[in-house]
Amino acid sequence: REDYLRFQSTACQTIVDGRGTGRVVESLIPSNKKDLMLRPARKEDVYIYYDWVNDPVVRTNALNSEYISLETHMTWFDKSLSDSDTFMFVLELQGLPVGQVRFELQEDEAIINYSLDQLVRGRGWGSELVSLGARMLDNIRPSVIQARVKSENKPSAAIFMRLGFDEQLLAGGVRIFRLP
């Protein structure tokens, strides 16, 4: 019985997160880009990250487009939060999470991954998210940033080119961008 209640509680948190009012307000009265703030990810962000990672647009643009189970995600999230070579940040508007950016250090580079909540897509905030994240990472651990983008993901490629990333090579349908 206790395991069942715990399971139900977890399942409900993936559907209802208590931020519906904030989303409605943001939808009706869109915020200005200058109100965006980046903060480190926290343990309680696990469910919003889960929603973002399984968003159909995110899955389509991800190098691995398979659906990610809650159990797999929770294991990955806990491991990533405690990994000294992973830096995870949440983009917020007045306390409402609207995106994420993550850097995973591999050898001498930081691999970037980012996504925006569907509520704020199309506002041109991808560049702002990547830029804020790059500055945050530079303050913590300066690194060469590498982005890996599917060749058909033109919006992400445009963001990296706009921000001064150099396109290095195209391998197996993946474009590689680097920001020294």
Side-chain angles (χ1 to χ4, degrees):
R1 172 126 172 102
E2 187 176 318
D3 286 343
Y4 176 75
L5 290 175
R6 190 174 301 120
F7 170 79
Q8 287 295 87
S9 174
T10 300
C12 287
Q13 288 176 13
T14 66
I15 299 169
V16 178
D17 64 5
R19 296 184 181 108
T21 303
R23 286 188 184 89
V24 170
V25 170
E26 183 58 36
S27 177
L28 295 173
I29 309 167
S31 297
N32 192 301
K33 182 167 62 172
K34 68 177 178 50
D35 296 327
L36 294 171
M37 296 180 59
L38 204 60
R39 66 159 172 84
R42 301 183 292 246
K43 194 170 188 73
E44 59 267 23
D45 294 320
V46 65
Y47 297 109
I48 191 75
Y49 266 75
Y50 178 70
D51 290 342
W52 288 332
V53 76
N54 281 311
D55 177 284
V57 172
V58 172
R59 294 289 9 113
T60 297
N61 289 317
L63 297 180
N64 171 9
S65 59
E66 297 296 316
Y67 170 83
I68 298 169
S69 73
L70 180 58
E71 182 180 341
T72 298
H73 172 74
M74 290 180 87
T75 300
W76 168 85
F77 192 83
D78 286 341
K79 181 179 175 269
S80 296
L81 273 183
S82 62
D83 184 350
S84 63
D85 288 332
T86 300
F87 301 90
M88 299 169 60
F89 305 101
V90 173
L91 186 69
E92 285 188 337
L93 282 168
Q94 301 163 11
L96 179 66
V98 294
Q100 64 82 28
V101 62
R102 180 179 77 247
F103 300 92
E104 296 175 358
L105 299 180
Q106 295 180 3
E107 298 173 17
D108 62 340
E109 295 186 328
I111 310 303
I112 187 173
N113 179 296
Y114 77 95
S115 62
L116 286 169
D117 193 289
Q118 65 181 351
L119 177 67
V120 298
R121 288 187 196 134
R123 297 184 186 183
W125 290 0
S127 294
E128 187 70 14
L129 172 57
V130 170
S131 182
L132 286 169
R135 284 196 303 269
M136 187 82 84
L137 179 67
D138 193 52
N139 288 333
I140 298 168
R141 189 180 300 173
S143 303
V144 171
I145 299 174
Q146 182 190 117
R148 299 172 184 171
V149 179
K150 278 185 173 179
S151 58
E152 58 269 18
N153 185 351
K154 292 178 183 12
S156 284
I159 285 170
F160 292 118
M161 290 188 301
R162 189 176 316 116
L163 292 175
F165 281 69
D166 295 324
E167 187 169 1
Q168 301 292 315
L169 58 109
L170 181 62
V174 177
R175 296 169 75 175
I176 307 294
F177 296 90
R178 285 192 174 80
L179 182 66

